[in-house]
Amino acid sequence: MLRAWLSWGITTLFVIFQFFLQTAAGVMAQHWKIDFHIDALAVANLSAAFFYVYVFMQIPAGLTYDHYNPKIILTCAAVTLALGCLIFSYSHNYYIAFLARALMGIGASFGFVGMLQISALWFSPTAFPIIVSLAETIGAISTAGSEILLAWLVVDFGWRYTTFYAGITAVLIALFAFIIIKNKPMSTEPKNIIAEKSIWLSLFQLSKNKQVWLIGIYGFFTFTLINVFTSLWGVPFLTTVYHFSLHTAAQMLSVVFLGIASGTLTISWISMQIGRRKPMMFICALAPTILLSVLFFVPNLSQISIYILLFFSGLFTAGYVLCFALVKELVPVNYRAAALAMINMLMMISAPILQPLIGWFISHQFFGLLHSITLTYQISLAILPIGLIIACILVFFMQESYCQEKELYHE
């Protein structure tokens, strides 16, 4: 059991580091703009370069975990991530920086799926949602602290030194992964069934599963608070509209992750207690719709009001962990990792789609129709609550699992 927790621990450390890199762009954005002499749209594209490749790699990563052991996969992924960080820290050319961010995305793409697969392999089905929620809680708390730490490091030491030492950290994670993670444990599962399933057959079965698409699109919209607002546009919104300092804006956004840390285990536990996934998923889409609408459109909010709105937005956004529990319960194990990866892919694709789109709206003042920077930010960010309304509607078309797994295999 110690080996199980150690393997889970190193993959969780990888996830924490991945979260750190995802949110770093928001703190570094203004510095990139100055150093590379670029506008808001180019900054958004540089940030999204990480996500372009990250998203593209999710299903290949899941299929890889379905067919191969995780030890070497995670070790190589961490080395790739380290290389991307080190190249990015020395980049003075925008296009080289873009490619370095993409390389970081390749390495990071194996982290979260690896944690899901390790959790599924080493822990019981009933423990899976709690274990994943625990990893997310630890990750959220760590990210909340790292937001504040990152702002301090970037201001006092610069974004290049910060990124360089992030690369050194990734090298250490690779070393730990190689030493600690053990290959797939002994299992009573009929291994020949998994072996007989080709990657292409798994992908074909996955593409036909309507429920995976519904859950994934729900995740796309519910994850935008983290992927679009907190990761990039939250700091510019708070510093431009409310004129807060970089440190204050970073502290405010760190509260989102404290909310997520408070919500992940709580929401998973409530879902298990009522024996249903869908009611909590509906609530966890509806509440942030209201909270973000207040944040974006009610003028002259006090600082404490913003803290409260961000905390509770994060708390309810934590319901995204139920996407992984529900899809695990609805799909056969022979393409489980690929299905989990697809959910993560559909969540993360909101970054490369919406980050640049919002950046374009802001740069072009929403088709040139707006002349107030405050109103430009408000209208541009309205995409987030509109998407959450769509997520609420999608819940009604999902199949309820009643917290029970389907049959393990099907042909």
Side-chain angles (χ1 to χ4, degrees), residues 112 116 182 242 259 348 384:
F112 189 74
L116 294 174
K182 185 178 178 182
Y242 283 93
M348 298 304 295
L384 275 61

Side-chain angles (χ1 to χ4, degrees), residues 4-59:
W5 283 106
L6 287 173
S7 298
W8 173 83
I10 190 63
T11 56
T12 299
L13 180 61
F14 198 124
V15 171
I16 292 169
F17 187 67
Q18 174 192 317
F19 282 169
F20 172 82
L21 293 177
Q22 288 174 205
T23 58
V27 177
M28 297 180 181
Q30 293 302 318
H31 298 270
W32 293 348
K33 190 173 184 179
I34 295 169
D35 278 16
F36 293 110
H37 308 289
I38 52 179
D39 61 12
L41 178 58
V43 168
N45 280 319
L46 183 57
S47 171
F50 176 97
F51 298 100
Y52 291 140
V53 181
Y54 181 99
V55 167
F56 176 79
M57 287 296 297
Q58 281 306 287
I59 291 180

Side-chain angles (χ1 to χ4, degrees), residues 72-331:
I72 301 301
I73 296 173
L74 279 164
T75 302
C76 293
V79 170
T80 303
L81 184 54
L83 186 61
C85 289
L86 295 174
I87 294 173
F88 188 63
S89 69
Y90 284 101
S91 298
H92 291 277
N93 180 279
Y94 176 79
Y95 297 102
I96 294 175
F98 187 94
L99 292 175
R101 283 280 294 175
L103 191 61
M104 291 161 62
I106 293 173
S109 65
F110 290 87
F112 189 74
V113 183
M115 184 275 291
L116 294 174
Q117 184 71 341
I118 289 290
S119 299
L121 288 172
W122 285 94
F123 297 94
S124 67
T126 54
F128 176 82
I130 302 300
I131 293 297
V132 173
S133 296
L134 179 61
E136 292 289 275
T137 300
I138 295 171
I141 293 172
S142 301
T143 305
S146 69
E147 279 279 304
I148 300 170
L149 174 64
L150 184 63
W152 174 72
L153 289 172
V154 170
V155 169
D156 289 4
F157 297 98
W159 69 269
R160 294 186 184 277
Y161 282 104
T162 303
T163 308
F164 175 83
Y165 285 107
I168 300 301
T169 303
V171 172
L172 295 176
I173 292 174
L175 181 63
F176 290 143
F178 185 77
I179 295 171
I180 293 173
I181 294 175
K182 185 178 178 182
N183 285 337
K184 186 183 292 186
M186 296 301 293
S187 172
T188 57
E189 293 175 356
K191 299 178 183 177
N192 61 309
I193 296 180
I194 297 177
E196 290 171 2
K197 297 294 182 181
S198 72
I199 288 179
W200 291 110
L201 181 56
S202 296
L203 186 59
F204 177 69
Q205 291 173 328
L206 182 61
S207 67
K208 294 192 303 178
N209 194 310
K210 176 184 174 182
Q211 291 302 312
V212 173
W213 285 102
L214 287 171
I215 297 166
I217 296 170
Y218 169 93
F220 174 98
F221 290 116
T222 56
F223 208 65
T224 52
L225 173 67
I226 300 169
N227 237 12
V228 179
F229 187 71
T230 306
S231 292
L232 183 60
W233 292 115
V235 168
F237 172 77
L238 293 172
T239 54
T240 303
V241 175
Y242 283 93
H243 308 292
F244 293 126
S245 68
L246 180 64
H247 284 295
T248 301
Q251 288 174 357
M252 286 180 161
L253 292 177
S254 71
V255 171
V256 172
F257 295 100
L258 293 179
I260 292 170
S262 303
T264 46
L265 285 170
T266 304
I267 290 167
S268 294
W269 181 81
I270 293 173
S271 177
M272 292 294 290
Q273 292 303 302
I274 65 176
R276 293 169 180 258
R277 302 297 187 196
K278 290 175 58 175
M280 290 305 299
M281 292 176 76
F282 179 80
I283 292 170
C284 290
L286 179 62
T289 304
I290 299 169
L291 294 166
L292 289 179
S293 297
V294 172
L295 176 64
F296 296 155
F297 298 111
V298 175
N300 302 317
L301 292 170
S302 67
Q303 191 166 330
I304 188 64
S305 298
I306 296 174
Y307 272 111
I308 292 171
L309 288 168
L310 289 172
F311 175 83
F312 282 101
S313 294
L315 188 149
F316 286 104
T317 296
Y320 72 83
V321 298
L322 296 180
C323 294
F324 299 107
L326 183 58
V327 80
K328 180 177 180 289
E329 291 157 356
L330 293 179
V331 303

